[in-house]
Amino acid sequence: MTKAPSGPEETVESLLPGADPAPAPAQPAAPGDGVTDPLALDAELRRIWATGPGWQRFAAVNHSVVGLRFMVTSLVFFTIGGILAMLIRVQLATPDSGFLEPGLYAQVFTMHGTVMMFLFAIPLFEGLAMYLLPKMLGARDMAFPRLSAYGYWCYLFGGTLLIVAMLAGAAPDSGWFMYTPLSSQPFSPGIGADVWLLGVTFVEISAISAAVEITVTILILRAPGMSMDRMPVFAWYMLTVAAMMLVGFPPLILGSILLEAERAFGLPFFDPLRGGDPLLWQHLFWLFGHPEVYIIFLPAAGALSTLIPVFAGRPLAGYRAVVAALVAMAFLSFGLWVHHMYTTGLPHLSLALFSAASTLVAVPTAVQIFAWIATLAQRRPKPDPKTRPGISVSMLHVFGFFFIFVMGGLTGVMLAIVPFDWQAHDTHFVVAHLHYVLIGGFLFPMLAAGYHWLPLISGRAHDGPAGRLGFWLVFAGFNGTFFLMHITGLMGMPRRVHAYDAESGWHWLNLISSVSSFVMAIGFAVIVIDLLLTLRFGRKAEPDPWQAATLEWAVPTLPPPPYNFAAFPRITGRADKLEPRKLAPVLARGEGYLGLARHGWMETPGVSVARGEPEQIVILPQQTYLPLWTGLATGAVFLSLLFKVYPLAIVAALVVVALFLRWPVGDHAAADQGELPAGEGAVLPLSSEAPVPPAIWALRVVAVADGALLASLVFGGLFLAIAAPGWPPPVWPELPVLPGVVAALALVVAWITSRMAARGDVLHGAPMLGAALAANLATLASVAWMIGALPPLQDHAAQAVLAAVMVWLGLHAFIGAVLAFNALRRLRTGHVSARRRIDIDLLRLWQAGLLPAGLVVLGFPTALKALALAALP
Amino acid sequence: MSAGTRILVAIAGGFTLWALVFTAVYAGHATGCEIGWGLASGPGGIAPLRMVLVLIPLAGLGLTLAGLWLLRRGAGLAPRLATTAQLLTAAAAVATVYNFTFVAILPLCA
């Protein structure tokens, strides 16, 4: 493998001192070097990367297609959520309204929140990130296109499950936060709560998939030379958001699993009569729920940080401070969750801890806002030449954002102060605040982003006044709707009430809110019509119409072809100071890295994390129905759980595993390929032969989410031991020692044998792989033994918690066994060699992580007992 | 340490320490109150829990400042990343002081 040469244009500092790539010796020319027929190259690349017509669309994995599907589907769910909001406003428009009966009203407001948070906001930015990131970073697709497609199907099926349940009158009705005990079986006996718990968890698979996908893509799928400090700021935002998702979503997934286990099997995690605690749910939910607000805001902020400099005609002011602010915000956002729980009776010192963190998070938010204002202040926004002089529709939405989000932020600081929150808690003041933050901080920036990137996505330029009219209707309608809720909230109107008295004095304010909400809805309709008219009748967009300076505008055509770039440039400076109009024709001629079409492979460059030096040629998978089938099988698991057909759930889960085992295929991996020319003198290995291929990165990233889930589980157990009533149980659930020792030894054996299998000539590693497989099965059997030795799990939360951590270990041992089996299988079929060792390295990495985690799990019962006994009054 | 790991540590180190201190103080406070450390009297009449809750942030602050000192000496990062890392670490130190000062003042288990 060689480094790319430093040309005379190499003027920007490299990332690490003394690490400037040395000029490389002359290398054999790549097959695509010096391509003289761009049209032929374009045609061949289109053929390789295209998504087929008709039914083949179900096999699409291309990031542009999947990203657009995410966005369009999320907008459909947004429409549904919006209609539900209209129903709420009709109900509250007049006192003592009989428009919706109380049970239906509870379903409507629960589904409104659920749809907007889980089915609209998160998938919309996931789709935007999937669509934009490869183009912005200089790649032909995301790192795992099939994972994107699988995530989409999980999202679609999970979301559909929730909507169908609502149409069938079986929607959840406990609020979008599903507080226990209201959502527990005795108080929500139907399947509505199960629909929420399983449907949302199903959708969360999509979010975790996207987080893995986004992280790995940003880390290693960039144009050569694009070191981390040269990345466009949007990539920093999305990298931070993806990391937050990896840590923030597992507590919710865990909470949903525990609550479903309580509802289905009677395991009393949240039942205070049997050692559980309803507050555990609130902790797990808000451990997710508060970072979630920032997870939603930061992608929108990333879009703002990208498009404001374009319209200001100058680079983002305070780039370093902005990156520092968003990283700080990501951390601080995890220290705020209890500010949703100020009224639950926590000690004052704990409240102060969270109140301080809650006020602190305003600082990095303000840093970003001031950076945007400074960027705008240093140059007048360019007039939009295609509309009347003045600011563009996109910038109108940016200004809408400033006004609304800053107001929401200020009321957020008010609510961070404990005494004020005690007064305003669970009133409409909070409803006003959260809508100012979420609509101001997400919807307006996303509308700005939509208009900004509309020419890229559609190839059409936006004209006409309808966009402006839509903005003003939404802006006026929004403030008319939600500003007044501050007042009704301060007057004492509680959230989630079905009706109120005529004597309350809230009547006129609510009526104006409701009328304004319809104005806002009309505004959204105008925007939709405006966009549809643009798509249908808009004139063809010129290249880089905004004179932006990021790589996504250097694609050869608008909209971009499925392969994005015919070749990749070497980035020698900041990737938000490029000249796309000059770059695009050069790349379209195939001048640069990988300007070739070889063996029908879908190639994109893989680079080192820090310096962005080319390290591998990543071969991406072609379109396939596997993600669809796997998504359907996953759906079967969730439906079986919903209808409590547990044997079918197990069968479906095994089908999912079997389908996943079919994923790692590819003719390029069936034989050693050696190092291949990659253009610009570089000679690189394929990803299947690279030391650290994308799959290894993916496993490292998954380990973060997995660790967060285990940490949440351990936290939950320890929390119950010291905070829940009825601890310790009358008879402590002792686990047998022997299987614990066997499990510990088996974990060590699996780790050692997986390491030995990965050493040297892996072709002779079959016995070691077999031993690793057996050791994992031994762990699994030991775990089953220990769970079987516990007293009835329904009797007390202590044994339920112990069973839960043991299930975690058993599941991981099972996955270890599957990985060992897969490596054995691939070894036998010739897909593993001394150069092609991904399957064995995955197993080695898995076992290396499982060993310490497994020992923590095995030691957990002792720690739990010690803590429970120490906390005895 | 690889260049990627160095960047990760430099960028995230300060606030990772803040997060660890936050977790330790919150968990220590809840546990200490349950097991009676908040009521017991230690050296100088100070409750053992108070001492623990003060020492944890102090240790975190010390490590954060040490990290900042190392960054200012040069951690082998490109200038833009080095500045970002220093900003973040300094912010983490300020956040630690702001967030945990009151553990020395407020009633422990009320």
Side-chain angles (χ1 to χ4, degrees), chain B residues 24-57:
Chain B
V25 168
Y26 181 52
H29 174 238
T31 309
C33 286
E34 281 299 318
I35 64 179
W37 283 17
L39 300 175
S41 183
I46 302 171
L49 180 58
R50 176 89 66 194
M51 285 192 277
V52 171
L53 294 185
V54 170
L55 284 175
I56 291 171

PDB file of all heavy atoms in Angstrom, chain B residues 24-57:
ATOM      1  N   ALA B  24     -20.481   9.688  39.214  1.00  0.00           N
ATOM      2  CA  ALA B  24     -19.992   9.271  40.532  1.00  0.00           C
ATOM      3  C   ALA B  24     -20.645  10.082  41.638  1.00  0.00           C
ATOM      4  O   ALA B  24     -21.020   9.535  42.685  1.00  0.00           O
ATOM      5  CB  ALA B  24     -18.470   9.411  40.574  1.00  0.00           C
ATOM      6  N   VAL B  25     -20.808  11.388  41.417  1.00  0.00           N
ATOM      7  CA  VAL B  25     -21.419  12.232  42.455  1.00  0.00           C
ATOM      8  C   VAL B  25     -22.894  11.861  42.634  1.00  0.00           C
ATOM      9  O   VAL B  25     -23.369  11.702  43.762  1.00  0.00           O
ATOM     10  CB  VAL B  25     -21.273  13.730  42.090  1.00  0.00           C
ATOM     11  CG1 VAL B  25     -22.154  14.596  42.987  1.00  0.00           C
ATOM     12  CG2 VAL B  25     -19.821  14.156  42.225  1.00  0.00           C
ATOM     13  N   TYR B  26     -23.602  11.683  41.516  1.00  0.00           N
ATOM     14  CA  TYR B  26     -25.031  11.349  41.616  1.00  0.00           C
ATOM     15  C   TYR B  26     -25.220   9.983  42.274  1.00  0.00           C
ATOM     16  O   TYR B  26     -26.025   9.831  43.206  1.00  0.00           O
ATOM     17  CB  TYR B  26     -25.660  11.374  40.224  1.00  0.00           C
ATOM     18  CG  TYR B  26     -27.140  11.069  40.232  1.00  0.00           C
ATOM     19  CD1 TYR B  26     -28.006  11.766  41.057  1.00  0.00           C
ATOM     20  CD2 TYR B  26     -27.668  10.077  39.419  1.00  0.00           C
ATOM     21  CE1 TYR B  26     -29.366  11.491  41.069  1.00  0.00           C
ATOM     22  CE2 TYR B  26     -29.022   9.793  39.427  1.00  0.00           C
ATOM     23  CZ  TYR B  26     -29.863  10.498  40.257  1.00  0.00           C
ATOM     24  OH  TYR B  26     -31.204  10.214  40.277  1.00  0.00           O
ATOM     25  N   ALA B  27     -24.466   9.005  41.790  1.00  0.00           N
ATOM     26  CA  ALA B  27     -24.600   7.659  42.357  1.00  0.00           C
ATOM     27  C   ALA B  27     -24.100   7.632  43.801  1.00  0.00           C
ATOM     28  O   ALA B  27     -24.722   7.012  44.678  1.00  0.00           O
ATOM     29  CB  ALA B  27     -23.820   6.656  41.506  1.00  0.00           C
ATOM     30  N   GLY B  28     -22.994   8.320  44.046  1.00  0.00           N
ATOM     31  CA  GLY B  28     -22.435   8.343  45.406  1.00  0.00           C
ATOM     32  C   GLY B  28     -23.385   9.023  46.377  1.00  0.00           C
ATOM     33  O   GLY B  28     -23.544   8.566  47.510  1.00  0.00           O
ATOM     34  N   HIS B  29     -24.019  10.078  45.918  1.00  0.00           N
ATOM     35  CA  HIS B  29     -24.956  10.796  46.781  1.00  0.00           C
ATOM     36  C   HIS B  29     -26.148   9.908  47.149  1.00  0.00           C
ATOM     37  O   HIS B  29     -26.510   9.775  48.323  1.00  0.00           O
ATOM     38  CB  HIS B  29     -25.428  12.065  46.066  1.00  0.00           C
ATOM     39  CG  HIS B  29     -26.493  12.800  46.801  1.00  0.00           C
ATOM     40  ND1 HIS B  29     -27.714  13.069  46.250  1.00  0.00           N
ATOM     41  CD2 HIS B  29     -26.521  13.301  48.057  1.00  0.00           C
ATOM     42  CE1 HIS B  29     -28.455  13.724  47.133  1.00  0.00           C
ATOM     43  NE2 HIS B  29     -27.749  13.876  48.235  1.00  0.00           N
ATOM     44  N   ALA B  30     -26.736   9.271  46.116  1.00  0.00           N
ATOM     45  CA  ALA B  30     -27.898   8.418  46.369  1.00  0.00           C
ATOM     46  C   ALA B  30     -27.522   7.253  47.277  1.00  0.00           C
ATOM     47  O   ALA B  30     -28.222   6.942  48.253  1.00  0.00           O
ATOM     48  CB  ALA B  30     -28.452   7.899  45.040  1.00  0.00           C
ATOM     49  N   THR B  31     -26.400   6.642  46.992  1.00  0.00           N
ATOM     50  CA  THR B  31     -25.989   5.487  47.787  1.00  0.00           C
ATOM     51  C   THR B  31     -25.602   5.910  49.200  1.00  0.00           C
ATOM     52  O   THR B  31     -25.990   5.270  50.191  1.00  0.00           O
ATOM     53  CB  THR B  31     -24.796   4.780  47.097  1.00  0.00           C
ATOM     54  OG1 THR B  31     -25.127   4.539  45.740  1.00  0.00           O
ATOM     55  CG2 THR B  31     -24.454   3.474  47.790  1.00  0.00           C
ATOM     56  N   GLY B  32     -24.832   7.006  49.288  1.00  0.00           N
ATOM     57  CA  GLY B  32     -24.360   7.466  50.596  1.00  0.00           C
ATOM     58  C   GLY B  32     -25.509   7.800  51.520  1.00  0.00           C
ATOM     59  O   GLY B  32     -25.473   7.490  52.712  1.00  0.00           O
ATOM     60  N   CYS B  33     -26.535   8.451  50.966  1.00  0.00           N
ATOM     61  CA  CYS B  33     -27.695   8.786  51.809  1.00  0.00           C
ATOM     62  C   CYS B  33     -28.405   7.519  52.280  1.00  0.00           C
ATOM     63  O   CYS B  33     -28.879   7.445  53.414  1.00  0.00           O
ATOM     64  CB  CYS B  33     -28.656   9.684  51.027  1.00  0.00           C
ATOM     65  SG  CYS B  33     -28.051  11.372  50.847  1.00  0.00           S
ATOM     66  N   GLU B  34     -28.483   6.534  51.397  1.00  0.00           N
ATOM     67  CA  GLU B  34     -29.179   5.285  51.771  1.00  0.00           C
ATOM     68  C   GLU B  34     -28.430   4.523  52.845  1.00  0.00           C
ATOM     69  O   GLU B  34     -29.030   3.904  53.715  1.00  0.00           O
ATOM     70  CB  GLU B  34     -29.359   4.397  50.541  1.00  0.00           C
ATOM     71  CG  GLU B  34     -30.508   4.807  49.639  1.00  0.00           C
ATOM     72  CD  GLU B  34     -31.854   4.762  50.359  1.00  0.00           C
ATOM     73  OE1 GLU B  34     -32.085   3.798  51.111  1.00  0.00           O
ATOM     74  OE2 GLU B  34     -32.653   5.698  50.176  1.00  0.00           O
ATOM     75  N   ILE B  35     -27.116   4.530  52.783  1.00  0.00           N
ATOM     76  CA  ILE B  35     -26.369   3.717  53.751  1.00  0.00           C
ATOM     77  C   ILE B  35     -25.927   4.527  54.956  1.00  0.00           C
ATOM     78  O   ILE B  35     -25.162   4.046  55.801  1.00  0.00           O
ATOM     79  CB  ILE B  35     -25.155   3.025  53.085  1.00  0.00           C
ATOM     80  CG1 ILE B  35     -24.142   4.053  52.585  1.00  0.00           C
ATOM     81  CG2 ILE B  35     -25.591   2.120  51.943  1.00  0.00           C
ATOM     82  CD1 ILE B  35     -22.916   3.409  51.944  1.00  0.00           C
ATOM     83  N   GLY B  36     -26.396   5.769  55.054  1.00  0.00           N
ATOM     84  CA  GLY B  36     -26.199   6.522  56.284  1.00  0.00           C
ATOM     85  C   GLY B  36     -24.933   7.344  56.353  1.00  0.00           C
ATOM     86  O   GLY B  36     -24.610   7.892  57.407  1.00  0.00           O
ATOM     87  N   TRP B  37     -24.225   7.481  55.287  1.00  0.00           N
ATOM     88  CA  TRP B  37     -22.991   8.274  55.321  1.00  0.00           C
ATOM     89  C   TRP B  37     -23.271   9.772  55.412  1.00  0.00           C
ATOM     90  O   TRP B  37     -22.386  10.549  55.724  1.00  0.00           O
ATOM     91  CB  TRP B  37     -22.147   8.026  54.073  1.00  0.00           C
ATOM     92  CG  TRP B  37     -21.396   6.731  54.099  1.00  0.00           C
ATOM     93  CD1 TRP B  37     -21.627   5.661  54.898  1.00  0.00           C
ATOM     94  CD2 TRP B  37     -20.267   6.391  53.287  1.00  0.00           C
ATOM     95  NE1 TRP B  37     -20.742   4.651  54.632  1.00  0.00           N
ATOM     96  CE2 TRP B  37     -19.889   5.087  53.638  1.00  0.00           C
ATOM     97  CE3 TRP B  37     -19.568   7.052  52.287  1.00  0.00           C
ATOM     98  CZ2 TRP B  37     -18.829   4.430  53.025  1.00  0.00           C
ATOM     99  CZ3 TRP B  37     -18.515   6.401  51.680  1.00  0.00           C
ATOM    100  CH2 TRP B  37     -18.140   5.106  52.049  1.00  0.00           C
ATOM    101  N   GLY B  38     -24.485  10.132  55.109  1.00  0.00           N
ATOM    102  CA  GLY B  38     -24.801  11.548  55.132  1.00  0.00           C
ATOM    103  C   GLY B  38     -25.049  12.064  56.534  1.00  0.00           C
ATOM    104  O   GLY B  38     -24.987  13.263  56.785  1.00  0.00           O
ATOM    105  N   LEU B  39     -25.356  11.151  57.435  1.00  0.00           N
ATOM    106  CA  LEU B  39     -25.659  11.555  58.795  1.00  0.00           C
ATOM    107  C   LEU B  39     -24.478  11.371  59.727  1.00  0.00           C
ATOM    108  O   LEU B  39     -24.344  12.074  60.723  1.00  0.00           O
ATOM    109  CB  LEU B  39     -26.853  10.736  59.319  1.00  0.00           C
ATOM    110  CG  LEU B  39     -28.140  10.910  58.506  1.00  0.00           C
ATOM    111  CD1 LEU B  39     -29.230   9.969  59.016  1.00  0.00           C
ATOM    112  CD2 LEU B  39     -28.612  12.352  58.592  1.00  0.00           C
ATOM    113  N   ALA B  40     -23.606  10.422  59.386  1.00  0.00           N
ATOM    114  CA  ALA B  40     -22.476  10.141  60.267  1.00  0.00           C
ATOM    115  C   ALA B  40     -21.548  11.349  60.326  1.00  0.00           C
ATOM    116  O   ALA B  40     -21.529  12.180  59.428  1.00  0.00           O
ATOM    117  CB  ALA B  40     -21.722   8.915  59.761  1.00  0.00           C
ATOM    118  N   SER B  41     -20.790  11.441  61.402  1.00  0.00           N
ATOM    119  CA  SER B  41     -19.862  12.556  61.566  1.00  0.00           C
ATOM    120  C   SER B  41     -18.433  12.054  61.409  1.00  0.00           C
ATOM    121  O   SER B  41     -18.015  11.098  62.059  1.00  0.00           O
ATOM    122  CB  SER B  41     -20.057  13.173  62.958  1.00  0.00           C
ATOM    123  OG  SER B  41     -19.219  14.287  63.097  1.00  0.00           O
ATOM    124  N   GLY B  42     -17.669  12.680  60.533  1.00  0.00           N
ATOM    125  CA  GLY B  42     -16.286  12.279  60.299  1.00  0.00           C
ATOM    126  C   GLY B  42     -15.331  13.284  60.891  1.00  0.00           C
ATOM    127  O   GLY B  42     -15.706  14.062  61.782  1.00  0.00           O
ATOM    128  N   PRO B  43     -14.109  13.316  60.406  1.00  0.00           N
ATOM    129  CA  PRO B  43     -13.105  14.262  60.915  1.00  0.00           C
ATOM    130  C   PRO B  43     -13.584  15.699  60.768  1.00  0.00           C
ATOM    131  O   PRO B  43     -14.113  16.077  59.722  1.00  0.00           O
ATOM    132  CB  PRO B  43     -11.893  13.999  60.013  1.00  0.00           C
ATOM    133  CG  PRO B  43     -12.117  12.641  59.441  1.00  0.00           C
ATOM    134  CD  PRO B  43     -13.589  12.438  59.360  1.00  0.00           C
ATOM    135  N   GLY B  44     -13.424  16.464  61.834  1.00  0.00           N
ATOM    136  CA  GLY B  44     -13.836  17.865  61.797  1.00  0.00           C
ATOM    137  C   GLY B  44     -15.338  18.032  61.781  1.00  0.00           C
ATOM    138  O   GLY B  44     -15.840  19.112  61.460  1.00  0.00           O
ATOM    139  N   GLY B  45     -16.039  16.981  62.120  1.00  0.00           N
ATOM    140  CA  GLY B  45     -17.498  17.050  62.137  1.00  0.00           C
ATOM    141  C   GLY B  45     -18.125  17.018  60.752  1.00  0.00           C
ATOM    142  O   GLY B  45     -19.320  17.273  60.611  1.00  0.00           O
ATOM    143  N   ILE B  46     -17.321  16.744  59.760  1.00  0.00           N
ATOM    144  CA  ILE B  46     -17.847  16.721  58.388  1.00  0.00           C
ATOM    145  C   ILE B  46     -18.303  15.300  58.060  1.00  0.00           C
ATOM    146  O   ILE B  46     -17.589  14.324  58.330  1.00  0.00           O
ATOM    147  CB  ILE B  46     -16.758  17.160  57.384  1.00  0.00           C
ATOM    148  CG1 ILE B  46     -16.260  18.561  57.735  1.00  0.00           C
ATOM    149  CG2 ILE B  46     -17.288  17.137  55.960  1.00  0.00           C
ATOM    150  CD1 ILE B  46     -15.052  19.005  56.946  1.00  0.00           C
ATOM    151  N   ALA B  47     -19.466  15.202  57.483  1.00  0.00           N
ATOM    152  CA  ALA B  47     -20.002  13.881  57.137  1.00  0.00           C
ATOM    153  C   ALA B  47     -19.106  13.208  56.084  1.00  0.00           C
ATOM    154  O   ALA B  47     -18.626  13.881  55.159  1.00  0.00           O
ATOM    155  CB  ALA B  47     -21.412  14.022  56.597  1.00  0.00           C
ATOM    156  N   PRO B  48     -18.871  11.904  56.225  1.00  0.00           N
ATOM    157  CA  PRO B  48     -18.036  11.210  55.234  1.00  0.00           C
ATOM    158  C   PRO B  48     -18.564  11.374  53.814  1.00  0.00           C
ATOM    159  O   PRO B  48     -17.790  11.520  52.871  1.00  0.00           O
ATOM    160  CB  PRO B  48     -18.106   9.745  55.678  1.00  0.00           C
ATOM    161  CG  PRO B  48     -18.512   9.779  57.102  1.00  0.00           C
ATOM    162  CD  PRO B  48     -19.327  11.013  57.306  1.00  0.00           C
ATOM    163  N   LEU B  49     -19.887  11.403  53.703  1.00  0.00           N
ATOM    164  CA  LEU B  49     -20.456  11.562  52.355  1.00  0.00           C
ATOM    165  C   LEU B  49     -20.063  12.914  51.763  1.00  0.00           C
ATOM    166  O   LEU B  49     -19.746  13.017  50.580  1.00  0.00           O
ATOM    167  CB  LEU B  49     -21.983  11.432  52.424  1.00  0.00           C
ATOM    168  CG  LEU B  49     -22.720  11.587  51.088  1.00  0.00           C
ATOM    169  CD1 LEU B  49     -22.234  10.570  50.073  1.00  0.00           C
ATOM    170  CD2 LEU B  49     -24.220  11.472  51.279  1.00  0.00           C
ATOM    171  N   ARG B  50     -20.091  13.937  52.571  1.00  0.00           N
ATOM    172  CA  ARG B  50     -19.701  15.274  52.099  1.00  0.00           C
ATOM    173  C   ARG B  50     -18.266  15.236  51.580  1.00  0.00           C
ATOM    174  O   ARG B  50     -17.963  15.797  50.517  1.00  0.00           O
ATOM    175  CB  ARG B  50     -19.831  16.280  53.236  1.00  0.00           C
ATOM    176  CG  ARG B  50     -19.360  17.678  52.891  1.00  0.00           C
ATOM    177  CD  ARG B  50     -20.444  18.539  52.313  1.00  0.00           C
ATOM    178  NE  ARG B  50     -21.487  18.815  53.275  1.00  0.00           N
ATOM    179  CZ  ARG B  50     -22.675  19.309  52.944  1.00  0.00           C
ATOM    180  NH1 ARG B  50     -22.959  19.544  51.678  1.00  0.00           N
ATOM    181  NH2 ARG B  50     -23.599  19.532  53.863  1.00  0.00           N
ATOM    182  N   MET B  51     -17.400  14.584  52.351  1.00  0.00           N
ATOM    183  CA  MET B  51     -15.988  14.534  51.932  1.00  0.00           C
ATOM    184  C   MET B  51     -15.846  13.818  50.587  1.00  0.00           C
ATOM    185  O   MET B  51     -15.123  14.263  49.695  1.00  0.00           O
ATOM    186  CB  MET B  51     -15.150  13.847  53.015  1.00  0.00           C
ATOM    187  CG  MET B  51     -14.913  14.736  54.211  1.00  0.00           C
ATOM    188  SD  MET B  51     -13.669  14.079  55.306  1.00  0.00           S
ATOM    189  CE  MET B  51     -14.614  12.940  56.247  1.00  0.00           C
ATOM    190  N   VAL B  52     -16.561  12.709  50.471  1.00  0.00           N
ATOM    191  CA  VAL B  52     -16.483  11.948  49.210  1.00  0.00           C
ATOM    192  C   VAL B  52     -16.999  12.798  48.048  1.00  0.00           C
ATOM    193  O   VAL B  52     -16.360  12.877  46.990  1.00  0.00           O
ATOM    194  CB  VAL B  52     -17.299  10.641  49.325  1.00  0.00           C
ATOM    195  CG1 VAL B  52     -17.406   9.959  47.961  1.00  0.00           C
ATOM    196  CG2 VAL B  52     -16.645   9.700  50.325  1.00  0.00           C
ATOM    197  N   LEU B  53     -18.127  13.446  48.293  1.00  0.00           N
ATOM    198  CA  LEU B  53     -18.744  14.227  47.207  1.00  0.00           C
ATOM    199  C   LEU B  53     -17.910  15.443  46.824  1.00  0.00           C
ATOM    200  O   LEU B  53     -18.002  15.936  45.696  1.00  0.00           O
ATOM    201  CB  LEU B  53     -20.155  14.661  47.606  1.00  0.00           C
ATOM    202  CG  LEU B  53     -21.174  13.538  47.781  1.00  0.00           C
ATOM    203  CD1 LEU B  53     -22.564  14.110  48.065  1.00  0.00           C
ATOM    204  CD2 LEU B  53     -21.234  12.644  46.550  1.00  0.00           C
ATOM    205  N   VAL B  54     -17.110  15.929  47.743  1.00  0.00           N
ATOM    206  CA  VAL B  54     -16.232  17.054  47.397  1.00  0.00           C
ATOM    207  C   VAL B  54     -14.958  16.546  46.714  1.00  0.00           C
ATOM    208  O   VAL B  54     -14.454  17.154  45.762  1.00  0.00           O
ATOM    209  CB  VAL B  54     -15.898  17.870  48.674  1.00  0.00           C
ATOM    210  CG1 VAL B  54     -14.796  18.881  48.398  1.00  0.00           C
ATOM    211  CG2 VAL B  54     -17.154  18.592  49.175  1.00  0.00           C
ATOM    212  N   LEU B  55     -14.468  15.421  47.207  1.00  0.00           N
ATOM    213  CA  LEU B  55     -13.204  14.911  46.652  1.00  0.00           C
ATOM    214  C   LEU B  55     -13.352  14.446  45.203  1.00  0.00           C
ATOM    215  O   LEU B  55     -12.427  14.613  44.397  1.00  0.00           O
ATOM    216  CB  LEU B  55     -12.679  13.751  47.520  1.00  0.00           C
ATOM    217  CG  LEU B  55     -12.035  14.170  48.839  1.00  0.00           C
ATOM    218  CD1 LEU B  55     -11.658  12.946  49.662  1.00  0.00           C
ATOM    219  CD2 LEU B  55     -10.792  15.036  48.570  1.00  0.00           C
ATOM    220  N   ILE B  56     -14.495  13.871  44.888  1.00  0.00           N
ATOM    221  CA  ILE B  56     -14.663  13.350  43.511  1.00  0.00           C
ATOM    222  C   ILE B  56     -14.530  14.482  42.476  1.00  0.00           C
ATOM    223  O   ILE B  56     -13.725  14.375  41.542  1.00  0.00           O
ATOM    224  CB  ILE B  56     -16.021  12.618  43.369  1.00  0.00           C
ATOM    225  CG1 ILE B  56     -16.003  11.325  44.187  1.00  0.00           C
ATOM    226  CG2 ILE B  56     -16.294  12.290  41.901  1.00  0.00           C
ATOM    227  CD1 ILE B  56     -17.369  10.651  44.290  1.00  0.00           C
ATOM    228  N   PRO B  57     -15.270  15.582  42.619  1.00  0.00           N
ATOM    229  CA  PRO B  57     -15.085  16.659  41.627  1.00  0.00           C
ATOM    230  C   PRO B  57     -13.686  17.262  41.664  1.00  0.00           C
ATOM    231  O   PRO B  57     -13.155  17.658  40.628  1.00  0.00           O
ATOM    232  CB  PRO B  57     -16.122  17.704  42.037  1.00  0.00           C
ATOM    233  CG  PRO B  57     -17.097  16.999  42.872  1.00  0.00           C
ATOM    234  CD  PRO B  57     -16.361  15.896  43.542  1.00  0.00           C
TER     235      PRO B  57
END
